Amino acid sequence: MIPLLILGLLKENPGAHGYELLVLMRERNYKYIVNFTKGSFYYNLQQLEEKALIERIETEVASSLKETHNYILTDAGNHEFNLLMEKYGSKTDYVNLTFYAAMLFAEDYDPIKFKKLVQTQISQTKKKVQNIEEALKHRETILPSFAKMLENSQTHHLVNIRWFEELLEDAENMQ
């Protein structure tokens, strides 16, 4: 999915340099779409260049004479962008929380330890909600459609918090 994000950002910002694209991904909170690191970003950027989907344009920054690598999409890159849009745009995934797997065996697990697991889920999910609220405070830096996605994600997390709190209450009533 990182290649789609890079290609899409280059369509929006032709001639951008790699670090500029990485900053945009961070500012726009794309971490809610895909996990990425600086290393995974630059690896994907390099792969796109090696596949001739993007092309490097050498430029010099006059003030520092530092060479930067700016990129543009090639025709093949535009084609790949369209293919990736179709691939990811037509795919529907299941909501998949790793906690769901642990829930399958909750009745066979120590009730006190299970309560701690649920409390951890509540705490982590509340932090996610706070992060989304913080991202939504900066709507001017994100696309309206992405703001709607964040709002949807936030609603999903709030539903999970209610569910986790019910699980915790049920676990406490079992003791």
Side-chain angles (χ1 to χ4, degrees):
M1 182 142 352
I2 295 172
L4 173 62
L5 299 178
I6 292 171
L7 294 173
L9 287 172
L10 276 174
K11 281 185 79 67
E12 291 178 356
N13 305 281
H17 55 86
Y19 183 72
E20 183 180 357
L21 298 173
L22 179 60
V23 167
L24 283 170
M25 287 177 62
R26 288 178 177 156
E27 284 177 351
R28 293 180 178 182
N29 295 289
Y30 286 178
K31 64 186 173 190
Y32 295 109
I33 296 173
V34 64
N35 289 326
F36 66 91
T37 63
K38 183 178 177 181
S40 65
F41 169 82
Y42 281 109
Y43 172 79
N44 279 276
L45 189 69
Q46 178 184 0
Q47 292 295 305
L48 292 170
E49 184 178 9
E50 287 176 9
K51 293 176 183 175
L53 300 174
I54 62 175
E55 182 179 322
R56 185 186 301 189
I57 305 169
E58 301 295 336
T59 60
E60 281 189 14
V61 178
S63 61
S64 66
L65 297 177
K66 181 180 176 185
E67 193 175 286
T68 62
H69 304 297
N70 295 54
Y71 298 92
I72 58 171
L73 255 59
T74 62
D75 289 340
N78 272 310
H79 179 71
E80 181 69 10
F81 171 79
N82 289 328
L83 291 175
L84 291 173
M85 284 294 290
E86 291 175 27
K87 175 183 176 180
Y88 293 117
S90 62
K91 186 175 183 178
T92 301
D93 293 324
Y94 290 102
V95 174
N96 185 9
L97 292 176
T98 52
F99 183 68
Y100 289 179
M103 282 298 303
L104 295 172
F105 307 103
E107 293 176 12
D108 300 319
Y109 191 62
D110 180 314
I112 294 171
K113 290 180 180 178
F114 179 71
K115 282 175 40 179
K116 289 181 182 178
L117 293 177
V118 174
Q119 290 167 336
T120 298
Q121 289 297 318
I122 291 170
S123 173
Q124 290 176 358
T125 307
K126 284 182 177 180
K127 181 67 175 160
K128 289 177 185 177
V129 169
Q130 289 173 343
N131 289 340
I132 292 171
E133 286 173 355
E134 188 62 34
L136 288 171
K137 287 180 184 176
H138 307 285
R139 288 182 180 267
E140 68 280 358
T141 65
I142 57 179
L143 298 170
S145 58
F146 188 57
K148 288 288 185 190
M149 286 187 281
L150 288 174
E151 291 168 352
N152 183 59
S153 179
Q154 182 180 34
T155 300
H156 175 77
H157 290 311
L158 291 171
V159 167
N160 276 348
I161 290 170
R162 282 196 305 272
W163 174 52
F164 297 147
E165 288 171 342
E166 289 173 12
L167 285 173
L168 189 58
E169 186 177 312
D170 290 346
E172 288 172 355
N173 291 334
M174 300 286 269
Q175 292 183 339

